[in-house]
């Protein structure tokens, strides 16, 4: 998904009515937002944080110092790890790690829904959509988290809904 | 070397019969040397006969000299020996042998047939489960080595069990159908025209012309129905020149085929076929438990489950289940192998069965001789049956009307000249009939939960293999 398109999606999910115009910069088409008062903002995560503040939903950036750090960490992860990789093998390593991370957490920061969940959902959507039923079952925690986020009001919008089967087909649980 | 020099009045006892009941008896046994291990004044042998083995002991004493112990320790593995000894009860069960309660104290030992010292594969490695091999870093034998040295590989307890069970499948197939009033027929394998379409057929030179190896007994089964045999079956080789190198394709396999005239509805036939399969499954579970357990030791898997009566789903229901799971498919699309497997998992999850029928396939994906559904022109009176999510049988009601048959052949772009004899066989009164065929190797593989059809074909043939 192009950065500008993603940022529009984010605007809508945050409930912002005004659609900003984004320009792109450099070889990797990093998004740039020209603000009315001040310098331009560069980069997906910088602009996203700005939009969150604009929408008066700062809690989405984390409440405690620790939570804020975790949110920042996952936003970094999103841009460096997920956007950087498009090979199948890398994605599977990534999903395996994410799966163990999410074993004991409802959301990326633990128990609170944050911007990290939103941007990771948008970033991973194009990979999750192509997973087989067996792979979705293998990365059970990622599937649980993804399914939860995609049902959040206002988040999914026009993105396709990924089907997750509720019962285990492949693990010997019969 | 036994050249039939004499006829000794001697009874050879089977290793499987060496039990506590025979304690203290002197017996003669002929078996293979599985292992031999010298320890000072003693030599421990494991003697193996098909799936059974027993520990034997040669010790310096009244009956054995030091030289004899040394001789026994040096007999090459796999050599065939005749042993006379006393059956003795043991205090501690011998876990590594099938005969756990006794051992044989050897008095005489003769080599009947000596094996070469270097074996191309070790039987212990060939029986080792993959997981154990990986965990403990011990050797297992790969498939090509096994197939290249099939004579030795077939001696393993697992192989013995697999092919005894396969023999059981043939036997139960025959027994069940004969009890249902079917007649066994033999059909020709050298034929003048490709029966299922020209692409995958082997050509042989037939005197001054060419002939083909039969891809299925289809035409002849049907001719027998037109010849008033009503219910027929045949067991014989099927030849498919398909350049498919998969886990489930062979170029030559054994087909078990059924064809039956029916009264009013093709379900009469479909249900008979399903019931035959169920009788086979039940028979295997009743009579071949030992073999199933033996195979499971090396290849663990869930026992085969089925419902009575057999579960029947319609193609449109299957489509709905797949779509619900996120698969995108058109109404008239055929099932791809991954989708078949996924469907198998979904059906197992929902109905707890490894065996089911899929009825009313789209007409577009079936051969030209399939009878269309009278109520829905896009569907057909055809069915597939699945075991553990893989197709084992394709069947249908056949078109028995020469006019309709000609129409459908033209629709499929088939040269009518090539199938003239086929169409003619329906011109003199043909009963409505249906049937289907299964592959013996595939059914054995899926029943036992194995993963490659070459494990269940004694001397498999595929695009890359013509020997042994």
């Amino acid at each position: 998904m192009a950065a500008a398109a993603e940022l529009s999606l984010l605007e809508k999910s945050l409930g912002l009515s005004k659609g900003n115009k984004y320009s792109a910069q450099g070889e990797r088409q990093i998004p740039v937002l020209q603000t009315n008062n001040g310098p331009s903002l560069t980069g997906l995560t910088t602009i996203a944080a700005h939009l969150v503040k604009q929408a008066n939903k700062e809690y989405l950036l984390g409440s405690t110092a620790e939570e804020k750090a975790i949110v920042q960490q996952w936003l970094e992860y999103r841009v460096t790890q997920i956007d950087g990789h498009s090979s199948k093998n890398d994605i599977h390593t990534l999903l395996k790690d994410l799966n163990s991370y999410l074993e004991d957490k409802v959301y990326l920061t633990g128990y609170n829904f944050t911007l990290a969940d939103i941007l990771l959902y948008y970033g991973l959507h194009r990979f999750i959509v192509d997973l087989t039923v067996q792979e979705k079952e293998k990365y059970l925690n990622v599937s649980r988290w993804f399914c939860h986020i995609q049902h959040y009001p206002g988040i999914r919008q026009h993105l396709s809904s990924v089907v997750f089967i509720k019962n285990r087909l492949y693990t010997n649980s019969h | 070397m036994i050249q039939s020099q004499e006829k000794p009045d001697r009874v050879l006892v089977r290793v499987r019969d060496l039990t506590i009941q025979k304690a203290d008896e002197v017996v003669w046994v002929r078996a293979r040397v599985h292992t031999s291990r010298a320890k000072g004044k003693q030599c421990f042998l494991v003697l193996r006969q098909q799936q059974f083995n027993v520990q034997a002991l040669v010790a310096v004493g009244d009956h054995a000299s030091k030289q004899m112990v040394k001789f026994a320790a040096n007999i090459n593995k796999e050599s065939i020996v005749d042993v006379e000894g006393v059956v003795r009860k043991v205090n501690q069960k011998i876990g590594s042998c099938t005969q756990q309660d006794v051992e044989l104290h050897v008095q005489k030992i003769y080599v009947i047939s000596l094996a070469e010292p270097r074996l191309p594969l070790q039987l212990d490695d060939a029986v080792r489960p993959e997981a154990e091999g990986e965990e403990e870093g011990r050797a297992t034998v790969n498939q090509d080595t096994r197939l290249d040295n099939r004579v030795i590989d077939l001696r393993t307890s697992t192989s013995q069990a697999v092919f005894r069970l396969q023999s059981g499948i043939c036997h139960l197939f025959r027994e069940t159908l004969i009890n249902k009033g079917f007649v066994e027929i033999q059909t020709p394998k050298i034929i003048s025209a490709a029966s299922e379409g020209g692409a995958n057929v082997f050509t042989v030179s037939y005197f001054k012309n060419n002939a083909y190896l039969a891809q299925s007994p289809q035409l002849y089964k049907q001719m027998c129905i037109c010849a008033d045999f009503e219910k027929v079956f045949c067991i014989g080789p099927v030849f498919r020149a398909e350049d498919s190198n998969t886990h489930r394709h062979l170029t030559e396999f054994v087909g078990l085929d059924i064809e039956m005239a029916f009264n009013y509805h093709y379900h009469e036939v479909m249900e008979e076929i399903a019931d035959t399969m169920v009788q086979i499954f039940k028979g295997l579970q009743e009579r071949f438990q030992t073999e199933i357990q033996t195979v499971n030791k090396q290849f663990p898997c869930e026992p085969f489950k089925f419902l009575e009566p057999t579960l029947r789903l319609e193609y449109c229901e299957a489509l709905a289940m797949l779509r619900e799971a996120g698969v995108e498919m058109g109404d008239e699309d055929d099932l791809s192998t991954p989708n078949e497997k996924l469907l198998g998992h979904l059906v197992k999850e929902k109905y707890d069965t490894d065996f089911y029928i899929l009825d009313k396939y789209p007409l577009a994906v079936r051969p030209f001789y399939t009878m269309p559904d009278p109520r829905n022109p896009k569907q057909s009176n055809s069915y597939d049956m699945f075991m553990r999510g893989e197709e084992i049988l394709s069947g249908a009601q056949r078109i028995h009307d020469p006019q309709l048959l000609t129409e459908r052949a033209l629709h499929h772009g088939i040269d009518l000249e090539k199938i003239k004899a086929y169409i003619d066989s329906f011109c003199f009164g043909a009963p409505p009939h249906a049937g289907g065929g299964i592959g013996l190797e595939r059914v054995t593989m899926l029943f036992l939960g194995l993963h490659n059809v070459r494990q269940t074909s004694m001397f498999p043939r595929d695009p890359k293999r013509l020997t042994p």
Side-chain angles (χ1 to χ4, degrees), chain B residues 187-202 211-222 237-240 367-369 414 418-419 422:
Chain B
T187 65
K189 309 301 166 201
I190 312 178
I191 58 178
S192 60
S195 44
E196 302 266 343
N200 306 326
V201 69
F202 287 112
Y212 305 95
L213 292 181
Q215 295 156 303
S216 78
Q218 183 72 19
L219 167 57
Y220 299 97
K221 286 194 292 181
Q222 292 186 259
V238 168
F239 303 95
R240 303 251 169 116
F368 74 97
Y369 50 74
I414 295 182
K418 294 223 162 107
I419 54 168
Y422 180 56

Side-chain angles (χ1 to χ4, degrees), chain B residues 156-172:
Chain B
T156 59
S157 50
T158 310
S159 294
Q160 290 279 315
V162 167
F163 293 104
R164 277 167 211 291
L165 188 124
Q166 185 167 90
S167 164
I169 294 179
C170 272
H171 177 78
L172 286 159

Side-chain angles (χ1 to χ4, degrees), chain B residues 80-318:
Chain B
I80 300 180
V81 294
D82 272 2
V83 164
E84 186 188 37
V86 186
V87 180
R88 292 277 188 231
K89 208 174 101 157
V90 286
N91 293 329
Q92 266 189 322
K93 279 193 185 260
I94 302 173
S96 54
C97 290
T98 58
Q99 311 309 105
Q100 305 198 324
D101 300 320
V102 296
E103 67 180 2
L104 199 57
H105 287 209
V106 176
Q107 295 173 342
K108 297 192 182 115
I109 181 163
Y110 298 97
V111 172
I112 302 301
S113 176
L114 187 65
E116 279 185 22
R118 314 207 84 207
L119 296 173
L121 61 99
Q122 296 298 324
L123 268 81
D124 280 338
D125 293 340
V127 180
R128 184 164 293 125
E130 274 293 330
E132 197 185 298
E134 274 172 30
E135 264 171 43
E136 302 178 18
R138 313 192 70 195
T140 52
V141 185
N142 75 27
Q143 193 165 261
D144 275 328
T145 313
R146 289 175 193 278
L147 295 178
D148 288 336
N149 300 287
R150 201 49 158 163
V151 163
I152 304 186
D153 183 53
L154 287 173
R155 292 181 197 171
T156 59
S157 50
T158 310
S159 294
Q160 290 279 315
V162 167
F163 293 104
R164 277 167 211 291
L165 188 124
Q166 185 167 90
S167 164
I169 294 179
C170 272
H171 177 78
L172 286 159
F173 182 79
R174 214 173 239 132
E175 193 182 279
T176 310
L177 288 173
I178 290 189
N179 286 341
K180 286 179 190 281
F182 279 71
V183 174
E184 183 169 0
I185 61 171
Q186 303 298 336
T187 65
K189 309 301 166 201
I190 312 178
I191 58 178
S192 60
S195 44
E196 302 266 343
N200 306 326
V201 69
F202 287 112
T203 311
V204 293
S205 61
Y206 197 78
F207 302 105
K208 299 215 171 93
N209 297 321
N210 278 340
Y212 305 95
L213 292 181
Q215 295 156 303
S216 78
Q218 183 72 19
L219 167 57
Y220 299 97
K221 286 194 292 181
Q222 292 186 259
M223 285 168 81
C224 283
I225 301 297
C226 296
D228 285 352
F229 282 93
E230 287 185 28
K231 303 186 201 186
V232 298
F233 71 94
C234 57
I235 302 181
V238 168
F239 303 95
R240 303 251 169 116
E242 219 179 289
D243 198 1
S244 287
N245 294 295
T246 73
H247 71 281
R248 61 191 211 171
H249 283 96
L250 295 170
T251 48
E252 178 184 349
F253 62 91
V254 177
L256 277 56
D257 279 87
I258 301 177
E259 201 74 21
M260 188 178 132
F262 61 82
N263 300 330
Y264 296 106
H265 201 289
Y266 74 96
H267 279 183
E268 295 163 39
V269 180
M270 191 184 77
E271 279 156 26
E272 278 287 61
I273 298 179
D275 183 62
T276 305
M277 296 307 301
V278 165
Q279 296 311 316
I280 293 178
F281 301 145
K282 280 169 135 170
L284 292 176
Q285 286 175 342
E286 275 162 42
R287 306 183 204 179
F288 291 88
Q289 257 322 305
T290 318
E291 281 74 15
I292 297 173
Q293 296 309 321
T294 308
V295 176
N296 263 354
K297 262 196 241 158
Q298 185 173 358
F299 299 104
C301 87
E302 303 274 310
F304 192 77
K305 285 181 134 178
F306 52 94
L307 298 171
E308 271 185 283
T310 306
L311 174 66
R312 180 188 81 95
L313 293 176
E314 288 201 7
Y315 201 81
C316 46
E317 285 177 79

Side-chain angles (χ1 to χ4, degrees), chain B residues 398-457:
Chain B
R398 327 293 189 188
I399 298 177
H400 61 284
D401 177 271
Q403 255 149 322
L404 180 54
L405 192 54
T406 308
E407 236 179 79
R408 295 297 306 162
L410 288 172
H411 176 90
H412 276 257
I414 295 182
D415 181 354
L416 291 179
E417 265 312 297
K418 294 223 162 107
I419 54 168
K420 185 175 185 307
Y422 180 56
I423 301 187
D424 284 350
S425 44
F426 302 106
C427 287
F428 303 102
H433 59 285
I438 58 175
L440 177 63
E441 294 85 351
R442 227 186 247 192
V443 170
T444 314
M445 168 182 85
L446 292 167
F447 183 78
L448 290 169
L450 299 173
H451 297 287
N452 195 304
V453 76
R454 291 160 189 75
Q455 292 171 292
T456 52
S457 170

